[in-house]
Amino acid sequence: MSASATLQAVLRDKVGSRDARKLRSEGRLPCSLQADKDHEHVNFHIDLSEFLTTRRAHAHLYDLEMGSQTQAAVVRELQYDSLGSGIIHVEFKPVTRGVATEAEVELSFVGNVVDGVLTHNVTHITVECLPSQIPDNIEVKVEGLTAGTHIKASDLVLPEGIKLAIEPDTEIAVVSVPRAETPEPTEGEEGEEGEDTL
Amino acid sequence: MAYMPKKIAHRKVFKGRIKGYATRGNRVVFGDYGLQALDAGRITGRQLEASRIAANRATQGAAKIWIRAFPDRPISSKPAETRMGKGKGDLDYWAAIVRPGTILFELGGVTEEKAKLAFKRIAHKMPIKVRMVKRLPTT
């Protein structure tokens, strides 16, 4: 969680993949501001390195300066290239300061389970909070959990001012019982087993 | 044969060409860490099975392993010292067609060090360059 970051946005007069590729080659990042009942959809571009700097500073609330106007926004979706090594597009969601909004927050599983394998059913949850209070992640403590334990959304310890926006019964993770290991074939005898394939 | 389709539509298919990057199956979805292909190529069913065993041994069976590639392409070959012609060769093995970016394996329930070791073992079984990746933030 950190203070808001300001980004200089330039409106895109041309859209399309060819123009987007050209912008990326110039170090710009194509973006869009999602439409809602009060705002129109806007296509613009920002400086990629500036955006990455704000990401490193854990910024979640942005002030998009588009000419004479400034719009507060949060990131709704990031799009990556095929190898997942670079951001190619950002979709922002307009927000109003001081008014609670819904945001997707990553879950971070802390600790090691005693026996069994931790399987998470969800890796992100939707929370409702003020745009300035969006956390980086929500910690899920799994230290010492035993096989057969289920973690539900209602079990999460949320920071102050943050509410769940999903059903409290939603299963977050489960510590599954380890499967009985069958003796593996010796070297050169591969292909004999197939108990936990696809 | 460990990995092959249960039902097949065509016994033999054209060789084809592998073009472009993976646009599907290129994100870590199920586990915490993934092994991503950096080259295009064919991964045989045997290689996938050998990799699974190697990963299982590296993690002492503690990890949950997802195999994201499936060998659904029949590869035919002619016997040695056979004259050309007389039709297409017989089915030799099954292979998964992989493009750069495809996530081949995913691991969950293990530490990063264990996952790194398991992927290192898998990488030795692979006919292409691979790298370890983590789940990407979506917001």
Side-chain angles (χ1 to χ4, degrees):
Chain A
M1 200 181 315
S2 80
S4 64
T6 306
L7 292 171
Q8 298 293 332
V10 181
L11 291 178
R12 285 178 71 185
D13 47 350
K14 284 184 196 168
V15 288
S17 57
R18 183 178 291 183
D19 186 61
R21 264 198 296 271
K22 196 175 165 215
L23 284 173
R24 283 182 206 116
S25 69
E26 293 164 358
R28 307 291 296 178
L29 182 60
C31 305
S32 60
L33 185 67
Q34 199 184 26
D36 63 8
K37 59 184 178 186
D38 301 325
H39 302 88
E40 294 259 313
H41 179 92
V42 186
N43 289 315
F44 58 94
H45 56 88
I46 56 173
D47 188 62
L48 175 63
S49 59
E50 202 179 315
F51 178 68
L52 293 178
T53 308
T54 62
R55 297 276 299 173
R56 280 193 291 274
H58 305 278
H60 293 286
L61 177 60
Y62 292 92
D63 285 320
L64 302 172
E65 287 188 354
M66 286 181 265
S68 58
Q69 290 184 332
T70 303
Q71 173 63 52
V74 294
V75 174
R76 188 181 167 271
E77 190 190 13
L78 291 173
Q79 286 181 18
Y80 294 89
D81 60 7
S82 293
L83 291 173
S85 43
I87 297 171
I88 58 170
H89 186 270
V90 186
E91 187 176 347
F92 287 97
K93 179 178 137 185
V95 291
T96 311
R97 283 172 189 277
V99 177
T101 184
E102 287 193 355
E104 285 245 316
V105 180
E106 199 177 353
L107 294 175
S108 145
F109 296 88
V110 182
N112 295 313
V113 293
V114 174
D115 59 340
V117 179
L118 179 76
T119 309
H120 39 68
N121 299 344
V122 289
T123 54
H124 293 80
I125 57 161
T126 311
V127 293
E128 195 182 323
C129 61
L130 292 176
S132 56
Q133 289 184 332
I134 297 174
D136 289 341
N137 54 32
I138 292 173
E139 285 193 354
V140 187
K141 289 189 176 139
V142 295
E143 185 70 48
L145 294 184
T146 52
T149 312
H150 293 250
I151 305 167
K152 293 192 171 176
S154 53
D155 300 334
L156 297 178
V157 182
L158 298 173
E160 203 176 325
I162 294 169
K163 284 192 289 184
L164 271 183
I166 56 171
E167 287 291 316
D169 289 342
T170 309
E171 198 167 88
I172 302 291
V174 59
V175 185
S176 48
V177 184
R179 210 174 283 184
E181 281 291 307
T182 52
E184 289 188 347
T186 54
E187 298 291 330
E189 235 184 89
E190 62 185 72
E192 290 299 309
E193 59 171 51
E195 73 289 344
D196 60 346
T197 59
L198 306 176
Chain B
M1 277 192 186
Y3 292 158
M4 60 175 286
K6 282 179 186 162
K7 283 190 274 184
I8 52 171
H10 305 287
R11 285 187 307 126
K12 296 171 186 176
V13 297
F14 288 168
K15 181 182 280 179
R17 290 284 178 270
I18 308 171
K19 293 179 182 177
Y21 290 89
T23 53
R24 307 165 68 173
N26 55 353
R27 299 281 179 265
V28 177
V29 179
F30 301 103
D32 301 317
Y33 309 101
L35 191 73
Q36 188 178 48
L38 294 177
D39 291 332
R42 290 174 181 165
I43 317 282
T44 69
R46 285 184 179 191
Q47 285 164 347
L48 288 173
E49 174 64 4
S51 304
R52 187 190 66 79
I53 293 170
N56 226 349
R57 286 184 183 163
T59 56
Q60 286 100 36
K64 194 160 169 60
I65 303 172
W66 287 268
I67 305 172
R68 299 281 307 275
F70 185 77
D72 56 355
R73 180 72 67 94
I75 308 295
S76 62
S77 67
K78 282 176 174 286
E81 299 186 6
T82 311
R83 287 180 187 274
M84 289 296 109
K86 309 289 179 196
K88 193 169 168 72
D90 293 327
L91 171 67
D92 192 8
Y93 58 92
W94 291 87
I97 302 299
V98 164
R99 290 173 176 176
T102 308
I103 301 293
L104 301 169
F105 289 87
E106 286 186 30
L107 286 181
V110 281
T111 60
E112 191 170 345
E113 288 73 34
K114 278 258 170 124
K116 202 179 271 185
L117 177 72
F119 285 142
K120 194 179 167 189
R121 297 276 188 274
I122 293 177
H124 284 116
K125 309 284 181 193
M126 289 286 118
I128 53 173
K129 273 188 185 173
V130 288
R131 72 171 177 186
M132 180 177 162
V133 288
K134 288 182 195 173
R135 200 182 308 111
L136 294 169
T138 52
T139 56

